[in-house]
Amino acid sequence: MFHYGRALFVCGFASLLCSVVCQGDDLGLNNGYITIETANFNAKIVRDAQVLASLTPAGNTFDFLPFDLISARAGNGQYHWGDITFRYREGDSSAWIDGDSAATREPVTTLETGTGALAASNLTPTLSNTGPLNITREWLDVSGDLGLRFTIENTGNSPVEIGSLGFPAEFNSIFTNRTAVDTQRLCSLSDPYIGMHAGNIRVTPLQGTGSALVVTPLGDTPLEAYRNLVEPSYPATAYGSQTFEGFYEWQVLSRAWAENEWKSVQPWNTPSSRTLKPGETLQFGLRFSVAKGIRDIDATVRSMGIPVAFGVPGFIIPRGATAQLFLQAESSAISFSSEPVESLAFSQLYENSYGITPSPTFWGRSRLTVEYEDGRIQTIHYYVTKTATESLGDMGKFLTTEPWFTNTSDPFGRAHSIMTYDYEARAIVTQDPRVWIAGLSNEGGVGAYLAVMAKQAIQPDPAEISKLETFIDEVLWGTIQMKDFGVRRSIFYYQPSAVNYTYDSSIDWSSWTSWDKNDSYAVDRAYDYVHVTASYWSLYRVARAYPEIVNNHDWKWYLNQAYSTIIRAMQPDVGYNRVGLMGETVFGEILADLTREGLTSQATNLTEAMRSRAAQWDTEAVPYGSEQAWDSTGEEGVYYWSKYFGYNKTMIKTVNSVLGYTPTVAHWGWNGNARRYWDNLWAGKLRRIERQIHHYGSGLNALVLLSAFRSNPSDTYLLQVGYGGTSGPLSNINDAGFASASFHSFPDTLKWDGYSGDYGPGFLGLILGSGTYVVSHPTFGLLAYGGMLSSGEGKVDVQITGPVSRRIFIGPLGVTINIDAGSIRSFSYTNDTGAIALALTQLPDGPKAAAAVLWIETNAGSAAYRVSSPNASSERLGWRIPLTADGDVFVELTRT
C-alpha cells in the first residue's frame, strides 16, 4: 500500500521474525550437486543434504526453485524440498517430540538406489530427535515425472504415534532485490488445494505464460493441512516480508498441531495421526509434474488418476440456490457427507454431476467429503452465505448503524461518518497508530463507508442514503476532500501539540505510520481519490434512477464531483497517478455516464487523461507499478484502459499476469483469490505477513478476467477464476452484516480479521463486475454463474441468484445487458433466432423506480439488438423501460 514501506522490507518486516545479519553454508554447497534427469525434468539436488535445489522442465530454463539464491538459503532452519518435519510420541506418553531435518543440518548417509530411484539417503545424521524412527528418502523417476518418497520405520519395541508429518515446499517466490522485469521473468507463485487425496499444490509462473508445475500425492499422501513455516530472515532474501511471503509445508498428518497450537481453531480437514507398530513401516510421497500451461493444471492432475472437482458458480454459494458440482475421477463416488452435518444437501443430477444445496438455516464454512470406491477421500470446501439480497441488506444496515460516528465535538471533524469497525471489540476504531485506519482515507480507512456507498448503486436503501448524504456534506466534502478536489491521506493524525485530544497512551505512536497533521493532510496519493470518486458515482446512479430518495444534491452534482475528483487525481502534485489504481474501473463507468449524459467536454477531458497513461503502459515491459516492490493492484487499471484504447499486446499480457497469481481450486478460500499477503500490516487488526483469503485483490482482479471473458466467451477458464474472485467479497460479510477485511489462512487462526479495514475496494469490484453469466462449456455444457439454468426445446431460461441482478452476459450470443434501476428477475433466450426475453421488476423491499434504462452491448461479430417490446423511448444511449409498482415488466429483444 505505501511508498513509505518500500525501504522496510529488510529491516522493518524482518524484525517481525528472527533477523540475522549473516548466514553460513549448512547445506554443504561446496561439495556440489547431483544432477537428475527424467523425461520431463532436469533437477539438481545438493550432494550432502540431498534436498532439491533446482527443478526445470525438460528443454526449458525456467526454474521453479530459487537456485539463483541457493547460497542465501543454505543455513540451518531454511527449508527445501526433501526436508521433513514431524512429531511423534511413544507408548503411553502424552508429550509430542519434534523432528526437523532443517534445524541442525549434517550430511545425510547416501544409500544404494533401488529400482526407479535416482538418489537415496538415510536422514538419521540430520535428525537429532528420531528416537525409534528410521527415516529414508528417495528421489524417484515416476513415469518421467520426479517423485519424492519417504519411508518411516519403527525400530523400537513400543508403538509410535506420528501426530504430524510435513514436507516443506519451496518455490522461487522471492522478489527481494529483483527488478520488476526479473521478478516477472524468474518467479512463480504456489497455492494449495487442501483436498486430502485429491489435494495438490499448483505452481504458476508469475508472468502467467509457459509451463506450470503441479505437486500431487504419490500413494497414500493426503494434503490434510497446509502449515506456514517459520524461518530466520536474512537481508539477501528478507523472509516473511513484502517481497518474500515465506513458505509452507504439505501436511499429511496434523493431530499434534491440532491438539496444541491449533486447539482453538476449526481446521480445514479432520486432523489425524498414524500409529506404527514395532517393526512396521509407512511410506508417503509426492509427485512433481509439468502442465503445459496454467489452464492445463487440472487436466494434468486428472491424467494421473487423481479426482478433480469443478464447481459452478464456484464454492461460495448463497442460500436458496443449488450449485453444480462435477466430479472427474477414475473411481466411482460411493458416499457424500457434509460437516457440519446437514449443512449441505446433495443430489445426483446425472453421471458425475451433482446438485449442492445449502440448508436454509446454515451460514458459514462447510466441508463436503467424497469417498471413492478405490479408497481415496476428497474434501471440497464451500462457504454458504445468506441470499445475496439479504447479505447486502445486512451489510448496509450494520455499517450505517454500528460504525456510525456521531461525536460532533471530535477535533478531527469525523462526525458524522462510517468509520473503521472492530467487530471483536464491538467498537468503532477511533484511534490506531496507522492513522489512516481511524482517518477515513486510504484503503484501510474507507473499507466500511465505501462498501455502503457502492452497495447503493445496485441495492439502494433510503435510510442508508440519508446517512450517506450527511456524511458527504459534513465530512467527505470539505474535510476528507478539499474544495479544490484534493483528497487527504487521513483526517486523523498524531500530533498532541496541534490538537486538544486525548491519545491512547497504551498505543505506540513512534512508528512512521503515525503521521502528523502535515503528512496526514497531504493530497499526494492517487489511490485515495478512487474511493471518493466511487462514492460520488454510486450516489449519482441512485439520484438518476431514484431521484425522490436523494435530497441534498441532484445527479448532476454527484456526477460532476466524481469527474472533478478524477481530473484532480491526474494533476502533477499527486503521486502514483501514472500506475493502475485499485478500483479505477469506476473511472470507465463515469466516462460512459458522461457520454450518455451528453457531457462531451468532460468526457473528452477524461478520455485524454486516461489515454496518456495507457500509451505509457504499452511501452513498459511490466506496467504494473505500485507503492510496493511487487503488487497485484495495477493490473485492473492497466487492463481497462489498454482494452479501451486498443492496446491488445498489453491487454493480453495483463490477463496472463492476473492468471499468474490467481488460482482456481475446489476451495472457497483459494478459488479466485488473487495474491495478497501484506495488507494486514496496514489495514488489519491481526498484523502479519500471511496469504490472505479474499482480501480486496479478489474482487478487483476478477474485473480483468470477467471483462476478458465477455470479449472471448470461449475461454471458460477466465470465467471460472473470475467468478470465484468476484464472489469473494460476499464471504467477508458475516451473519450480522459486518464485513471483514480478509480471512486469516494460517492454520493456527483460520478466522476473519476483526477490522473492516480495507474491505470496501473489493466490494466495489463485485459491484462493477459481478452479474449472471451464461457460458457454453466444452466439457460440462451450458452453465450459469449467478443464476439457475434450465433448457429445453431450443430455449434457455435463467433465474437470477447472484448479488448483481442488473447485469447479465449471454456467452453463446455475445450479448451484455445492463439496467440502472430495479432488477432482472429472470431471462431467457432462444438458440435459433437469438431472441432474448427479460423479466424486469422492482427491488424487493426497496424503493420504486418509475423506469429502468437498459443498455445492450454486443461483441465484435455478434448481431446488434433492439427492444421490440414494450414500446421504449431512447434515453442516455439506451432504452427507457417503464416499470410497474408491483409485478414484472416483460421486455423482448430481437436482432436488428
Side-chain angles (χ1 to χ4, degrees):
M1 278 170 56
F2 291 102
H3 169 74
Y4 304 96
R6 293 189 67 177
L8 301 180
F9 69 85
V10 171
C11 58
F13 288 113
S15 67
L16 298 175
L17 299 172
C18 173
S19 184
V20 185
V21 174
C22 58
Q23 64 185 107
D25 175 15
D26 299 308
L27 281 178
L29 299 181
N30 289 336
N31 290 328
Y33 304 91
I34 300 171
T35 299
I36 292 175
E37 293 183 0
T38 70
N40 301 326
F41 285 105
N42 297 318
K44 293 183 186 350
I45 63 173
V46 180
R47 187 175 302 278
D48 282 5
Q50 290 206 15
V51 294
L52 193 62
S54 173
L55 185 65
T56 62
N60 196 327
T61 60
F62 184 84
D63 203 328
F64 286 103
L65 272 59
F67 183 63
D68 60 331
L69 294 172
I70 188 66
S71 62
R73 291 195 46 75
N76 286 332
Q78 294 181 298
Y79 294 96
H80 305 271
W81 279 111
D83 277 319
I84 186 172
T85 72
F86 56 91
R87 286 178 174 178
Y88 72 94
R89 58 189 174 193
E90 295 184 69
D92 297 329
S93 173
S94 62
W96 295 103
I97 300 171
D98 286 279
D100 186 334
S101 63
T104 308
R105 292 192 186 276
E106 295 291 341
V108 297
T109 302
T110 301
L111 302 176
E112 292 293 324
T113 56
T115 303
L118 303 169
S121 58
N122 185 283
L123 273 58
T124 300
T126 197
L127 290 168
S128 58
N129 291 318
T130 57
L133 298 178
N134 182 54
I135 302 176
T136 60
R137 175 183 58 210
E138 298 169 285
W139 293 101
L140 308 171
D141 185 329
V142 184
S143 301
D145 285 346
L146 182 65
L148 169 63
R149 184 170 64 197
F150 291 91
T151 302
I152 305 173
E153 179 186 9
N154 180 4
T155 64
N157 299 317
S158 302
V160 175
E161 182 183 8
I162 304 174
S164 171
L165 184 64
F167 307 134
E170 178 191 36
F171 301 106
N172 194 1
S173 56
I174 305 171
F175 308 153
T176 310
N177 298 325
R178 299 190 195 274
T179 65
V181 172
D182 284 345
T183 297
Q184 200 83 347
R185 177 176 60 87
L186 297 172
C187 294
S188 53
L189 289 171
S190 60
D191 276 305
Y193 166 38
I194 310 172
M196 298 298 286
H197 293 105
N200 58 73
I201 299 174
R202 47 195 63 206
V203 191
T204 55
L206 198 58
Q207 62 188 359
T209 58
S211 298
L213 177 71
V214 62
V215 185
T216 55
L218 186 61
D220 183 12
T221 310
L223 179 48
E224 181 174 289
Y226 197 62
R227 183 174 73 91
N228 55 295
L229 296 170
V230 176
E231 285 195 11
S233 184
Y234 299 96
T237 54
Y239 190 91
S241 75
Q242 197 277 324
T243 55
F244 184 4
E245 176 186 340
F247 294 135
Y248 301 80
E249 70 173 4
W250 179 306
Q251 284 203 309
V252 183
L253 307 169
S254 60
R255 178 181 175 182
W257 289 89
E259 288 181 352
N260 293 280
E261 292 89 343
W262 308 347
K263 62 184 177 182
S264 62
V265 172
Q266 177 192 354
W268 295 124
N269 293 306
T270 302
S272 69
S273 63
R274 301 275 186 99
T275 298
L276 277 171
K277 297 176 182 178
E280 192 175 11
T281 62
L282 284 172
Q283 283 192 332
F284 302 96
L286 299 171
R287 179 176 180 175
F288 300 79
S289 305
V290 177
K292 289 187 296 184
I294 291 173
R295 289 172 172 82
D296 302 297
I297 291 177
D298 279 343
T300 302
V301 173
R302 179 72 185 86
S303 70
M304 290 178 282
I306 296 172
V308 170
F310 184 92
V312 178
F315 303 94
I316 296 172
I317 52 178
R319 294 194 302 221
T322 296
Q324 288 177 275
L325 176 66
F326 300 90
L327 297 179
Q328 297 177 297
E330 295 289 317
S331 182
S332 298
I334 58 174
S335 75
F336 293 79
S337 61
S338 64
E339 176 63 36
V341 176
E342 297 184 351
S343 54
L344 300 175
F346 20 89
S347 60
Q348 186 161 5
L349 303 177
Y350 45 89
E351 186 178 7
N352 299 322
S353 174
Y354 302 87
I356 307 297
T357 305
S359 162
T361 59
F362 180 73
W363 169 89
R365 288 168 50 190
S366 177
R367 182 178 67 242
L368 177 66
T369 299
V370 183
E371 296 186 30
Y372 293 92
E373 199 168 33
D374 62 5
R376 283 190 172 102
I377 294 174
Q378 178 177 18
T379 53
I380 300 163
H381 302 266
Y382 285 94
Y383 200 96
V384 177
T385 70
K386 294 183 180 180
T387 67
T389 300
E390 286 180 297
S391 291
L392 270 59
D394 287 349
M395 183 193 71
K397 183 177 180 180
F398 185 96
L399 293 181
T400 53
T401 304
E402 300 303 318
W404 183 245
F405 184 72
T406 60
N407 181 6
T408 54
S409 63
D410 178 59
F412 303 101
R414 294 177 291 182
H416 294 79
S417 68
I418 300 171
M419 291 185 60
T420 298
Y421 193 73
D422 181 347
Y423 189 74
E424 295 171 345
R426 300 299 197 274
I428 296 172
V429 181
T430 57
Q431 299 189 48
D432 192 285
R434 302 156 294 177
V435 294
W436 53 86
I437 288 179
L440 290 164
S441 194
N442 188 281
E443 294 71 60
V446 306
Y449 91 67
L450 177 58
V452 181
M453 287 284 193
K455 178 249 181 193
Q456 307 310 315
I458 61 166
Q459 194 172 312
D461 179 273
E464 294 166 14
I465 288 169
S466 177
K467 286 190 171 182
L468 293 174
E469 287 192 283
T470 298
F471 164 60
I472 285 176
D473 287 352
E474 294 185 5
V475 181
L476 194 153
W477 178 236
T479 303
I480 297 172
Q481 183 175 38
M482 299 164 63
K483 297 301 183 180
D484 70 346
F485 295 96
V487 177
R488 289 169 169 156
R489 292 194 292 166
S490 173
I491 61 171
F492 176 71
Y493 51 83
Y494 180 74
Q495 191 172 344
S497 63
V499 63
N500 182 20
Y501 185 75
T502 302
Y503 290 97
D504 188 340
S505 61
S506 69
I507 293 176
D508 179 5
W509 297 100
S510 64
S511 167
W512 66 268
T513 63
S514 299
W515 295 332
D516 62 15
K517 183 176 182 179
N518 186 58
D519 283 340
S520 291
Y521 276 22
V523 295
D524 59 354
R525 187 174 182 269
Y527 300 99
D528 300 332
Y529 290 72
V530 182
H531 321 314
V532 175
T533 299
S535 298
Y536 289 136
W537 172 78
S538 298
L539 288 198
Y540 154 75
R541 280 296 182 97
V542 178
R544 203 61 170 98
Y546 301 90
E548 67 282 356
I549 65 172
V550 179
N551 298 310
N552 294 9
H553 306 283
D554 62 13
W555 66 263
K556 295 178 183 179
W557 187 87
Y558 284 113
L559 184 56
N560 184 68
Q561 291 290 109
Y563 160 76
S564 299
T565 303
I566 300 172
I567 297 302
R568 180 66 180 85
M570 296 299 117
Q571 298 309 305
D573 63 335
V574 178
Y576 303 109
N577 58 18
R578 306 300 293 180
V579 302
L581 305 173
M582 293 88 83
E584 75 165 280
T585 296
V586 77
F587 292 0
E589 292 289 334
I590 291 162
L591 177 57
D593 285 324
L594 290 170
T595 303
R596 291 165 180 163
E597 299 287 5
L599 300 173
T600 306
S601 175
Q602 292 93 323
T604 299
N605 290 341
L606 182 51
T607 299
E608 294 311 307
M610 299 302 110
R611 188 193 306 276
S612 65
R613 300 165 77 222
Q616 173 187 317
W617 297 330
D618 198 51
T619 67
E620 297 172 345
V622 183
Y624 317 118
S626 165
E627 296 167 304
Q628 302 290 353
W630 181 85
D631 213 334
S632 57
T633 56
E635 279 82 352
E636 176 216 339
V638 170
Y639 176 84
Y640 188 94
W641 296 112
S642 296
K643 181 178 182 179
Y644 186 88
F645 292 111
Y647 292 113
N648 291 333
K649 177 188 70 173
T650 300
M651 183 177 68
I652 294 169
K653 179 169 63 178
T654 304
V655 171
N656 290 332
S657 180
V658 173
L659 292 178
Y661 55 71
T662 312
T664 176
V665 296
H667 192 304
W668 70 269
W670 275 267
N671 190 50
N673 181 25
R675 197 66 167 216
R676 310 294 300 172
Y677 55 86
W678 61 89
D679 293 272
N680 282 330
L681 295 176
W682 311 131
K685 182 176 182 181
L686 178 56
R687 306 178 217 176
R688 65 188 184 193
I689 295 290
E690 168 186 29
R691 178 67 163 107
Q692 294 169 275
I693 288 179
H694 294 312
H695 181 256
Y696 64 63
S698 296
L700 294 179
N701 282 282
L703 292 170
V704 175
L705 303 182
L706 293 174
S707 176
F709 169 73
R710 291 193 298 271
S711 295
N712 180 17
S714 65
D715 192 345
T716 58
Y717 186 83
L718 297 173
L719 179 60
Q720 181 69 8
V721 184
Y723 207 88
T726 201
S727 300
L730 283 180
S731 66
N732 301 57
I733 304 171
N734 72 13
D735 57 349
F738 170 76
S740 168
S742 67
F743 188 90
H744 293 281
S745 70
F746 281 2
D748 65 353
T749 310
L750 295 184
K751 69 173 185 177
W752 292 103
D753 192 73
Y755 276 11
S756 54
D758 50 6
Y759 170 74
F763 184 78
L764 175 64
L766 179 151
I767 298 300
L768 297 173
S770 190
T772 299
Y773 290 75
V774 176
V775 58
S776 180
H777 194 280
T779 303
F780 306 118
L782 206 59
L783 305 172
Y785 289 70
M788 297 178 65
L789 181 147
S790 60
S791 63
E793 300 181 355
K795 183 183 177 185
V796 178
D797 293 280
V798 180
Q799 299 291 321
I800 303 289
T801 60
V804 179
S805 59
R806 294 181 179 176
R807 180 182 300 113
I808 65 172
F809 174 71
I810 304 173
L813 303 181
V815 176
T816 303
I817 297 169
N818 286 278
I819 61 172
D820 76 334
S823 67
I824 304 173
R825 184 180 58 79
S826 63
F827 64 95
S828 64
Y829 67 93
T830 56
N831 294 317
D832 53 355
T833 66
I836 302 171
L838 310 172
L840 305 189
T841 188
Q842 300 285 359
L843 293 169
D845 302 319
K848 308 295 185 183
V853 176
L854 183 148
W855 295 282
I856 306 170
E857 301 174 29
T858 55
N859 289 352
S862 298
Y865 278 78
R866 64 181 179 86
V867 174
S868 55
S869 176
N871 290 328
S873 58
S874 297
E875 183 173 313
R876 287 182 282 152
L877 305 181
W879 285 267
R880 186 179 188 277
I881 312 294
L883 299 178
T884 59
D886 298 296
D888 294 340
V889 172
F890 296 97
V891 180
E892 296 180 2
L893 311 179
T894 55
R895 289 171 172 164
T896 58

